[in-house]
Amino acid sequence: MKQVRKPYSKHSIPQQAFDWYDDYAHGRMDRRTFLSRLATLSVMGFSVPSLLGGLTPDYAQAEQVSFNDPAIKASFQIFPSPSGHGEGRGYWVAPTGTTETRPGVLVVHENRGLNPYIKDVARRLAKAGFVAFAPDALYPVGGYPGNDDAGRDLQRNLSRHKIEADFLAAASFLKGHSATTSKTGAVGFCFGGYMVNYLVAAGKNLLDAGVVFYGTPAAEELQNNINTPLLIHLAGLDERVNSSWPSYESKLRQLKADFEMHEYEGANHGFHNDSTARYSPGDAELAWQRTLAFFDRHLR
């Protein structure tokens, strides 16, 4: 019988492999180059298939809250987006057992569509007592395709302007829904982190709190509009995103914005995503508890 090598763990994967994966996942390196660079690690005893197994998501291993959990109810809802793609669709998760309205939290995915990890984040928020709404930017082209590489290609080829308009529309839909209070927050990861920064800059008075996981700022010409409390999580090893932070921090201080930032030493971009070896359990849990406390403070 052929022996299958298990994926390497976070602690055994060389840092340069994480860095190359980040370049590949964000369009700064093509797949052929990425695989060629991984192959150079073979002299150190690493196999490309096992490295890929550790670097790419295994969503079956990442579920924390089942969609069958009786404390929540999940469904899909359509919302109008006249300035975007016409309409959008998102994953709606609400607590069960009560008819009272709850604060809403928009959940914004990475640069590959509404994958299972982001759905699970929405369910975690509902378990914490919020109404969570996670739109899929790929809905206009059939939705998340079940494969991250294909999802990245689809999202890369959509109009960024229309995607931004879709998320503005989704936030408005959530804020005005009969199941939610007037208090609305947003949390986003990677591209979603950028989108939260964009929403607090472009959507005047739309959000009451924003949480950014390793996301870049909105365009400089929009930043003067920021008046929403922000919680920003940065990964210590994420040079690409962190290079944008000093000027953004300077602008937030100039605006006297209500913000706090936490940098997690030794963590990689994507450290909250528990489906890959980039996951850092201690950092992810601390960041999540800070996120829930931030939403409790500003949305309850």
Side-chain angles (χ1 to χ4, degrees), residues 73-259:
K73 182 177 181 180
S75 61
F76 287 93
Q77 295 206 23
I78 302 291
F79 61 91
S81 181
S83 297
H85 288 95
E87 69 175 19
R89 189 177 85 146
Y91 186 62
W92 181 279
V93 196
T96 57
T98 179
T99 58
E100 67 177 292
T101 58
R102 302 293 186 99
V105 177
L106 192 75
V107 184
V108 190
H109 58 67
E110 305 137 310
N111 64 339
R112 62 210 68 173
L114 181 58
N115 60 43
Y117 155 64
I118 297 297
K119 287 183 177 180
D120 195 64
V121 170
R123 293 194 293 270
R124 296 174 210 174
L125 283 163
K127 283 278 285 187
F130 300 96
V131 173
F133 188 47
D136 189 354
L138 302 185
Y139 174 69
V141 289
Y144 174 70
N147 174 280
D148 276 20
D149 285 347
R152 275 190 292 267
D153 288 342
L154 287 172
Q155 188 161 325
R156 189 179 298 124
N157 290 319
L158 286 173
S159 161
R160 172 63 71 92
H161 173 73
K162 287 189 175 183
I163 291 176
E164 290 169 344
D166 287 342
F167 278 99
L168 281 169
S172 296
F173 173 77
L174 177 62
K175 193 175 187 72
H177 200 281
S178 61
T180 62
T181 68
S182 61
K183 296 289 188 179
T184 307
V187 58
F189 306 84
C190 184
F191 163 80
Y194 157 78
M195 187 56 66
V196 172
N197 280 324
Y198 172 80
L199 291 173
V200 300
K204 190 174 181 181
N205 300 319
L206 183 59
L207 296 179
D208 299 283
V211 179
V212 175
F213 278 82
Y214 28 82
T216 54
E220 287 186 19
E221 60 269 22
L222 295 175
Q223 292 176 14
N224 284 329
N225 300 327
I226 297 173
N227 62 0
T228 300
L230 281 169
L231 172 61
I232 298 170
H233 301 296
L234 298 177
L237 299 176
D238 190 0
E239 295 181 5
R240 175 182 61 87
V241 170
N242 294 354
S243 65
S244 69
W245 171 248
S247 61
Y248 191 37
E249 179 183 23
S250 177
K251 171 58 73 172
L252 292 174
R253 292 193 183 283
Q254 178 187 331
L255 295 170
K256 294 182 170 54
D258 180 358
F259 77 96

Side-chain angles (χ1 to χ4, degrees), residues 11 32-33 39 47 64 67 69 72 75 104 106 124 140 146 155 183 212 256 270 297:
H11 301 291
R32 177 175 293 183
T33 302
S47 79
Q64 293 189 23
F67 67 90
D69 191 309
I72 60 172
S75 61
L106 192 75
R124 296 174 210 174
Q155 188 161 325
K183 296 289 188 179
V212 175
K256 294 182 170 54
R297 188 160 67 249

Side-chain angles (χ1 to χ4, degrees), residues 281-298:
D283 295 323
E285 179 61 20
L286 177 56
W288 188 246
Q289 292 306 315
R290 284 170 168 165
T291 295
L292 293 179
F294 185 78
F295 283 146
D296 280 339
R297 188 160 67 249
H298 293 286

Side-chain angles (χ1 to χ4, degrees), residues 8 17 68 179 188 275:
Y8 299 110
N68 287 320
S275 68

